[in-house]
């Protein structure tokens, strides 16, 4: 991995220049991407031209804060003139006509956007195996998953293909792949970073955030991304902190240690490493550990997968094959309906009276051409996991089940938020493993959705509560696979969790 912070001064002093640096990254992408499959598109000519333009501004002293930063963008964030497919067949030919707010902010500070990154389709997945571009592989072991849904974003940083990346986190999709790939992944407070231009999965959960090789790089990038946006009414007008400056503050943090995060289902090796980290920090006098309780955390996964799938069902209803996105072949639709009608009419001609009534009803209820076009377009365009979540979400929102599932889950979400609010009145941060295990084998959980969903057991609660969280590398297991430790903070306490992460980084950096 190459840190932006470590090369910025070299660029300013002239010891290094951006065009050469970009050439190095392009060569590394060419060398490793066929195996890792992190990038889905790279415009080499555009990157080289942009590097020359930014280098001129560096030379004349007019460059922005991110001049020299080479950044990859998850393929769910709109970038004008670039494909924004969400790794889905339904959007395989879609090209964005505008820049997301985060893209505008990056450009305004002279970041160089080098390419688009692979992901789980519509950010639905924990392994980055649900993609029209094929699975992303973990740079530490290509037989392992990189995590998801921002697997391409995490793998690109871990493989040294760029300095930083943007990912999205709906239930852990930045932090969990950061843990599996051994990089830093930050999920900001809901409303801290604009979602304008982010293609929605679950609108009350989705967050854009950075993945990087160092805590300081994440702090620097968040300082640019954060802030109010008139294009997103959910953004906060709260002032943006000096996140990088806060890393140098000398303070002792009170760390809440919930027993609920260290119980059944957690790998013994991961548990031992997290406990070892905490003991080391406590022995150095950098933290005070305090046992805390989050009694409703046990309902987190169930609550999340009710609410998130309900929002997904609603958000993805717009992909109908008519307004935009994949459209099924209308000639095939006409042919299907004609064949079905012909078959029913043939049966009707030889049917008995009892059977005739049933067949006439079937003719009456046949799809119209438009309805069948909707069905075929969505069936062809969406992958298996997306279809599964649409079905789950439609079910929990349906008449007769809304109160039993969706309404009840919203109440539990409130209880989970109250648990966090109460704990944060006594501690600065809450600590946990980022994931219950290290990266697992490709294909190992594709046929077991419940086991796949349980990979998010330590991360979904932060999205339910709308708080911030960060995963930072804490060494490796006996097989050399990265282990991540997670810190969560109260609303708009990004500076505090970054400080906590930096303490771990000094141990394992």
């Amino acid at each position: 991995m190459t840190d932006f912070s470590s090369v910025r001064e070299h660029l300013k002093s002239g010891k290094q220049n951006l065009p050469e640096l970009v050439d190095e990254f392009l060569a590394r992408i060419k060398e490793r991407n066929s195996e890792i499959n992190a990038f889905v598109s790279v415009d080499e000519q555009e990157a080289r031209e942009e590097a020359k333009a930014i280098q001129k501004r560096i030379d004349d002293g007019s460059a922005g804060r991110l001049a020299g930063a080479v950044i990859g963008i998850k393929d769910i964030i709109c970038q004008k003139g670039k494909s924004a497919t969400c790794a889905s067949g339904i959007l395989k030919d879609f090209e964005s006509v505008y820049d997301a707010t985060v893209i505008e902010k990056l450009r305004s500070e002279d970041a160089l956007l080098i390419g688009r990154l692979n992901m789980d389709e519509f950010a639905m997945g924990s392994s980055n195996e649900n993609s029209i571009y094929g699975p992303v592989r973990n740079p530490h072991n290509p037989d392992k998953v990189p995590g998801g849904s921002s697997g391409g974003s995490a793998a690109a940083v871990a493989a040294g293909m760029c300095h930083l990346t943007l990912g999205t986190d709906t239930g852990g999709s930045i932090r969990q792949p950061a843990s599996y790939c051994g990089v830093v992944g930050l999920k900001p407070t809901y409303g801290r970073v604009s979602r304008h231009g982010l293609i929605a999965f679950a609108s009350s959960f989705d967050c854009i955030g950075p993945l990087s090789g160092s805590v300081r790089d994440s702090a620097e990038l968040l300082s640019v991304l954060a802030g109010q946006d008139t294009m997103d009414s959910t953004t906060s007008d709260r002032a943006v902190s000096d996140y990088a400056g806060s890393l140098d503050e000398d303070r002792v943090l009170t760390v809440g240690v919930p027993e609920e995060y260290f119980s059944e289902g957690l790998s013994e090796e991961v548990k031992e490493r997290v406990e070892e980290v905490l003991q080391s920090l406590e022995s150095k006098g950098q933290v005070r550990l305090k046992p805390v309780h989050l009694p409703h955390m046990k309902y987190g996964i169930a609550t999340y997968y009710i609410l998130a799938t309900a929002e997904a069902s609603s958000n993805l209803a717009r992909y109908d094959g008519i307004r935009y996105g994949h459209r099924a072949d209308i000639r095939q639709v006409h042919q299907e309906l004609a064949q079905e009608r012909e078959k029913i009419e043939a049966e009707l001609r030889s049917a008995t009276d009892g059977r005739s009534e049933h067949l006439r009803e079937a003719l009456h209820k046949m799809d119209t051409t438009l309805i069948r076009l909707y069905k075929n377009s969505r069936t062809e365009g969406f992958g298996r996991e997306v279809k599964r979540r649409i079905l789950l979400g439609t079910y929990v929102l349906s008449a007769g089940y809304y109160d039993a599932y969706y309404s009840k889950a919203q109440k539990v979400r409130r209880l989970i938020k109250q648990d966090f609010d109460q704990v944060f009145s006594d501690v600065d941060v809450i600590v946990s493993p980022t994931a219950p295990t290290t990266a697992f084998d490709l294909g190992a959980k594709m046929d077991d959705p419940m086991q796949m969903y349980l990979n998010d057991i330590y991360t979904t609660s932060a999205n339910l509560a709308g708080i911030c969280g960060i995963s930072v590398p804490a060494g490796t297991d006996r097989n050399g696979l990265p282990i991540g430790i997670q810190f969560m903070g109260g609303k708009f306490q990004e500076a505090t969790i970054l400080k906590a992460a930096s303490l771990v980084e000094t141990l394992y950096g």
Side-chain angles (χ1 to χ4, degrees):
M1 290 182 290
T2 305
D3 295 348
F4 166 57
S5 304
S6 65
V7 302
R8 178 165 50 184
E9 294 307 316
H10 288 172
L11 289 168
K12 286 182 179 178
S13 67
K15 292 180 182 178
Q16 197 169 15
N17 71 74
L18 187 54
E20 288 178 359
L21 183 61
V22 167
D23 280 340
E24 290 174 13
F25 279 128
L26 290 172
R28 199 166 297 141
I29 291 169
K30 193 169 291 186
E31 175 190 352
R32 298 212 64 188
N33 199 54
S34 59
E35 177 185 41
I36 304 301
N37 198 29
F39 279 91
V40 298
S41 66
V42 176
D43 189 328
E44 295 187 21
Q45 182 178 349
E46 182 181 299
R48 290 190 172 102
E49 290 174 356
E50 188 67 16
K52 292 175 184 176
I54 295 171
Q55 183 64 51
K56 283 185 178 180
R57 292 194 285 276
I58 293 173
D59 293 340
D60 66 25
S62 64
R65 285 182 286 173
L66 295 178
V70 178
I71 300 179
I73 307 298
K74 186 176 180 180
D75 198 37
I76 196 170
I77 299 169
C78 288
Q79 193 175 345
K80 187 175 181 179
K82 304 292 184 185
S83 294
T85 69
C86 298
S88 176
I90 204 87
L91 286 175
K92 67 181 186 298
D93 298 318
F94 177 69
E95 184 178 289
S96 179
V97 297
Y98 70 98
D99 279 335
T101 296
V102 290
I103 299 297
E104 291 178 349
K105 288 189 171 189
L106 293 178
R107 291 193 194 282
S108 72
E109 295 294 345
D110 286 322
L112 190 150
L113 312 184
I114 198 167
R116 308 282 295 174
L117 294 162
N118 205 343
M119 57 180 285
D120 279 302
E121 183 182 5
F122 278 99
M124 298 182 192
S126 302
S127 64
N128 215 145
E129 295 173 282
N130 305 303
S131 169
I132 58 169
Y133 302 110
V136 177
R137 294 175 179 270
N138 194 312
H140 296 272
N141 182 339
D143 293 327
K144 304 290 183 180
V145 302
S149 63
S150 304
S153 300
V157 174
M161 296 176 177
C162 53
H163 289 130
L164 308 106
T165 59
L166 289 191
T168 63
D169 194 310
T170 305
S173 288
I174 287 174
R175 291 160 289 154
Q176 185 249 30
S179 175
Y180 283 0
C181 289
V183 301
V184 178
L186 172 62
K187 173 223 171 297
T189 302
Y190 185 82
R192 181 73 292 185
V193 175
S194 173
R195 290 181 296 113
H196 174 64
L198 169 62
I199 299 172
F201 161 13
S203 302
S204 75
F205 294 85
D206 296 340
C207 296
I208 298 173
L211 293 101
S212 67
S214 72
V215 173
R216 188 167 295 276
D217 277 6
S218 281
E220 296 273 8
L221 185 50
L222 181 63
S223 294
V224 172
L225 299 176
Q228 189 175 22
D229 178 21
T230 56
M231 300 300 290
D232 178 1
S233 62
T234 66
T235 52
S236 171
D237 61 0
R238 189 181 179 113
V240 177
S241 301
D242 177 10
Y243 298 118
S246 68
L247 300 178
D248 301 320
E249 294 177 1
D250 186 16
R251 57 186 297 204
V252 177
L253 299 176
T254 302
V255 178
V257 185
E259 66 177 32
E260 292 85 359
Y261 285 94
F262 293 87
S263 56
E264 185 181 355
L266 175 61
S267 155
E268 194 62 33
E269 198 168 0
V270 173
K271 180 181 179 182
E272 288 174 1
R273 177 50 56 86
V274 174
E275 290 174 345
E276 177 186 302
V277 168
L278 297 177
Q279 289 165 9
S280 295
L281 295 178
E282 187 177 41
S283 67
K284 291 173 180 288
Q286 295 174 313
V287 304
R288 288 189 294 267
L289 303 181
K290 181 173 183 176
V292 296
H293 294 288
L294 297 166
H296 295 96
M297 181 265 180
K298 60 186 176 183
Y299 305 115
I301 286 288
T303 302
Y304 172 79
Y305 278 99
I306 288 172
L307 298 178
T309 58
E311 293 186 22
S313 171
S314 176
N315 278 325
L316 271 61
R318 70 193 70 176
Y319 304 109
D320 55 16
I322 303 300
R323 287 167 285 189
Y324 58 90
H326 170 73
R327 180 182 296 185
D329 186 340
I330 190 67
R331 291 168 299 181
Q332 183 178 339
V333 169
H334 283 306
Q335 186 177 4
E336 282 181 12
L337 290 173
Q339 289 173 348
E340 290 174 21
R341 178 175 292 277
E342 183 179 331
K343 181 179 178 182
I344 294 172
E345 288 175 342
E347 291 182 19
L348 185 59
R349 286 191 290 271
S350 59
T352 60
D353 289 344
R355 176 75 174 150
S356 295
E357 184 177 347
H358 172 76
L359 291 169
R360 287 192 185 94
E361 184 179 357
L363 273 176
H364 177 70
K365 290 183 177 180
M366 272 189 66
D367 288 341
T368 63
T369 301
L370 180 62
I371 293 298
R372 182 58 60 87
L373 182 62
Y374 286 157
K375 286 182 178 179
N376 285 13
S377 297
R378 289 168 66 82
T379 299
E380 293 167 10
F382 289 132
R384 182 173 64 168
E385 182 60 29
V386 172
K387 290 174 186 173
R388 178 184 290 122
R389 297 198 192 194
I390 290 173
L391 289 170
L392 286 169
T394 304
Y395 177 79
V396 301
L397 289 174
S398 61
Y401 298 101
Y402 182 95
D403 289 336
Y405 294 102
Y406 183 78
S407 181
K408 186 177 289 185
Q410 289 285 27
K411 294 174 183 176
V412 176
R413 184 179 192 177
R414 169 60 62 175
L415 293 174
I416 290 170
K417 181 183 180 301
Q418 289 174 353
D419 285 349
F420 278 101
D421 290 344
Q422 184 173 344
V423 169
F424 284 129
S425 65
D426 294 324
V427 304
D428 296 308
V429 297
I430 292 170
V431 69
S432 79
T434 308
T437 66
T438 52
F440 51 88
D441 290 342
L442 283 161
K445 300 185 180 183
M446 285 296 285
D447 295 323
D448 191 342
M450 184 56 67
Q451 284 301 311
M452 187 72 81
Y453 296 166
L454 287 173
N455 287 289
D456 302 328
I457 193 167
Y458 303 127
T459 53
T460 54
S461 51
N463 301 80
L464 287 162
I467 60 176
C468 55
I470 190 169
S471 178
V472 62
T476 60
D477 68 8
R478 64 176 64 90
N479 296 313
L481 294 172
I483 293 172
I485 185 169
Q486 175 181 225
F487 293 102
M488 291 178 283
K491 286 194 171 185
F492 305 107
Q493 296 303 306
E494 284 81 4
T496 306
I497 61 171
L498 282 161
K499 177 62 180 178
S502 72
L503 297 178
V504 177
E505 192 173 54
T506 61
L507 297 175
Y508 295 97

